[in-house]
Amino acid sequence: MAIAGLFEEFSSWSMAMALVFLFLLSCLILRFFSSRLLRSRNLHSLRIQTPSPNGNPSMGICNIISDDDLRNFMRDLEGTFNGETWENVVEKKNGQVFYSAKYCRPRDGGPLKYLSFTRFEKCCTELLRDFYMDNEYRKQWDKTVIFHKQLQVNEISGTEVGRTIKKFPLLTPREYVLAWRVWEGHDKTFYCLIKDCEHPLAPRQKKFVRVQNYRSGWRIRKVPGNDACEITMVHQEDAGMNIEMAKMAFSRGIWNYMCKMNHALREYSSRNRSRSASVTSMRKLVQKVPSGWEAEAGSTSQGLSGGSVARQSVRVDASSGVETISRKPSKKWIRRLLVIGGIVCLSRGQPSLGTSLAMACILKKITKQSPASGQVTPTPALQSRGERGRRG
């Protein structure tokens, strides 16, 4: 009897615990579905209240990039940004592409400004323009681009706004919310200006680093007397990295990137262009450069040969003739410790010596050129001021 009573008491206690458990489980399930329903209603409300990307001028995107911005950009290109001190970064070429770049530190203390010149052989300006503006195709060959979406179009000014996510090794993904405009000038010359902006369809998210102070512009034009075209670009952005880190990453990785871009350009076809929504939209929105502006800015440009240029410390390998940046070797155990200690700081842009050394070691492995990127024609060491005429 005692044992039977014990089992009966235990059975009653188990039943009570089971009921409590079921009650708590029901509360959790109800709370879960209620939160999902509320979230769904909020998203539906957001879709109703958010303006659609139909080019509504009331949002003011037509004022992000003005015609005056284009005029100033054209003058700066022809004058090669007189008054600014530029330092050489890289100068490389192979049988299909020549690339040269230099940088300067803006007087206002902003991010580094880069000025580059690229010449593509056997290429027309319209093809190169479409290639640069084809965001769908870019996701195929540029593996750093993991997402792109057009947010809004303004047909009156020809302004587009889009959102792009890029993922770089060891860094938090970078988010770009940009506005851009394209103009056509004389003899199939094209200009493009790009600026960062804010947009209600792209609220800031903690999982991305929003790129700020983004200013970029390029001009594509024919090379007289040759089956080639050239693009001159000015670029500036704050991607949340230490300035020295950004400069080192650019100098070590840009030539590999240009070889990859050239390979993608050679595979770019009319089929890609016809299927691209980005290219179709851009062609409809291209504006004409106001009459007389190109003549006013000047018919010739100093290119990358003008301005005050400082020599970069380089070492020429006697056996291969290929220039390399001189660097003291570091011990393996020190490099490994610095890599571990520096990775945390990289995505936060902390300017420390440990981070700089760690990034140097990381970039040496990440951006080391592979044979598949194309053979590099040996080039002489960077020349001093006044020794170099215009290339191409």
Side-chain angles (χ1 to χ4, degrees):
M1 292 294 294
I3 296 177
L6 181 62
F7 274 107
E8 183 178 353
E9 183 179 352
F10 178 77
S11 177
S12 301
W13 180 82
S14 300
M15 181 66 69
M17 290 298 296
L19 290 175
V20 171
F21 175 77
L22 290 175
F23 174 76
L24 293 176
L25 182 61
S26 301
C27 291
L28 290 175
I29 294 175
L30 181 62
R31 183 178 179 181
F32 173 75
F33 282 104
S34 297
S35 62
R36 292 197 63 179
L37 180 61
L38 180 60
R39 188 184 307 171
S40 176
R41 290 178 178 176
N42 290 337
L43 289 175
H44 179 69
S45 176
L46 180 61
R47 292 191 188 102
I48 294 175
Q49 296 175 9
T50 303
S52 60
N54 58 1
N56 186 358
S58 63
M59 289 196 62
I61 71 168
C62 60
N63 298 320
I64 297 176
I65 302 174
S66 66
D67 287 342
D68 286 338
D69 292 328
L70 171 64
R71 194 171 196 174
N72 293 332
F73 174 67
M74 294 169 63
R75 290 172 176 172
D76 286 339
L77 278 183
E78 301 302 339
T80 321
F81 299 86
N82 289 332
E84 295 180 317
T85 302
W86 295 88
E87 296 182 29
N88 287 304
V89 178
V90 64
E91 182 176 312
K92 300 279 188 179
K93 67 178 179 179
N94 58 28
Q96 295 180 324
V97 60
F98 167 84
Y99 181 80
S100 179
K102 56 185 180 180
Y103 78 93
C104 77
R105 298 179 183 271
R107 297 171 182 173
D108 59 5
L112 294 179
K113 183 186 296 184
Y114 290 91
L115 176 61
S116 65
F117 171 85
T118 313
R119 169 172 166 158
F120 293 96
E121 301 294 337
K122 298 181 179 180
C123 180
C124 67
T125 58
E126 291 174 300
L127 175 66
L128 188 58
R129 176 205 62 187
D130 290 352
F131 173 76
Y132 261 79
M133 301 306 295
D134 195 335
N135 293 303
E136 285 79 16
Y137 185 62
R138 182 174 292 272
K139 287 189 292 184
Q140 298 179 28
W141 67 267
D142 187 351
K143 299 307 179 182
T144 65
V145 179
I146 60 177
F147 175 84
H148 175 81
K149 182 180 181 180
Q150 184 189 73
L151 299 179
Q152 192 178 2
V153 174
N154 185 285
E155 296 183 357
I156 297 176
S157 65
T159 304
E160 294 184 75
V161 176
R163 176 175 176 262
T164 301
I165 305 296
K166 292 186 178 183
K167 183 68 178 74
F168 301 98
L170 306 177
L171 298 178
T172 303
R174 265 49 181 174
E175 180 184 37
Y176 297 77
V177 180
L178 306 173
W180 61 88
R181 288 180 65 182
V182 179
W183 291 266
E184 180 179 351
H186 176 69
D187 197 21
K188 298 297 181 181
T189 297
F190 298 98
Y191 301 84
C192 178
L193 291 180
I194 311 170
K195 288 184 180 181
D196 66 287
C197 64
E198 297 291 335
H199 198 278
L201 293 179
R204 293 176 180 263
Q205 302 180 47
K206 292 183 179 180
K207 60 182 178 180
F208 302 123
V209 174
R210 177 69 64 90
V211 175
Q212 304 178 85
N213 298 323
Y214 189 102
R215 299 290 184 273
S216 187
W218 51 252
R219 176 190 63 197
I220 297 175
R221 65 181 182 181
K222 297 178 181 178
V223 176
N226 290 275
D227 182 17
C229 62
E230 62 185 33
I231 176 168
T232 305
M233 176 179 290
V234 181
H235 185 83
Q236 186 179 22
E237 71 174 80
D238 181 3
M241 291 180 62
N242 172 263
I243 290 180
E244 295 303 320
M245 297 300 96
K247 184 175 68 173
M248 187 177 298
F250 179 86
S251 62
R252 293 301 305 275
I254 188 60
W255 176 243
N256 276 346
Y257 184 81
M258 293 307 300
C259 289
K260 191 174 183 180
M261 175 184 290
N262 178 67
H263 179 72
L265 174 63
R266 305 304 167 181
E267 294 186 345
Y268 194 55
S269 64
S270 58
R271 184 178 182 182
N272 298 116
R273 298 161 76 180
S274 63
R275 291 183 174 183
S276 172
S278 299
V279 173
T280 302
S281 177
M282 178 270 299
R283 288 178 178 178
K284 293 179 180 179
L285 299 171
V286 172
Q287 306 282 299
K288 290 292 184 180
V289 174
S291 177
W293 281 20
E294 290 177 292
E296 175 189 311
S299 58
T300 59
S301 173
Q302 297 178 18
L304 295 183
S305 61
S308 177
V309 179
R311 285 180 61 93
Q312 183 183 12
S313 177
V314 296
R315 175 177 58 83
V316 180
D317 190 289
S319 59
S320 63
V322 178
E323 60 189 43
T324 58
I325 299 177
S326 59
R327 184 183 298 105
K328 293 183 179 180
S330 58
K331 295 181 179 180
K332 290 184 178 180
W333 67 273
I334 296 179
R335 181 168 66 244
R336 290 171 183 172
L337 288 177
L338 291 176
V339 168
I340 297 173
I343 287 175
V344 178
C345 301
L346 292 179
S347 62
R348 299 180 181 273
Q350 299 296 326
S352 65
L353 177 60
T355 304
S356 301
L357 294 175
M359 189 61 176
C361 298
I362 294 170
L363 289 172
K364 185 177 181 180
K365 293 183 178 182
I366 295 176
T367 62
K368 186 177 180 181
Q369 181 172 342
S370 62
S373 63
Q375 184 177 359
V376 179
T377 302
T379 58
L382 296 176
Q383 299 170 352
S384 60
R385 182 187 320 175
E387 292 179 347
R388 184 180 60 186
R390 183 180 171 207
R391 301 286 176 155

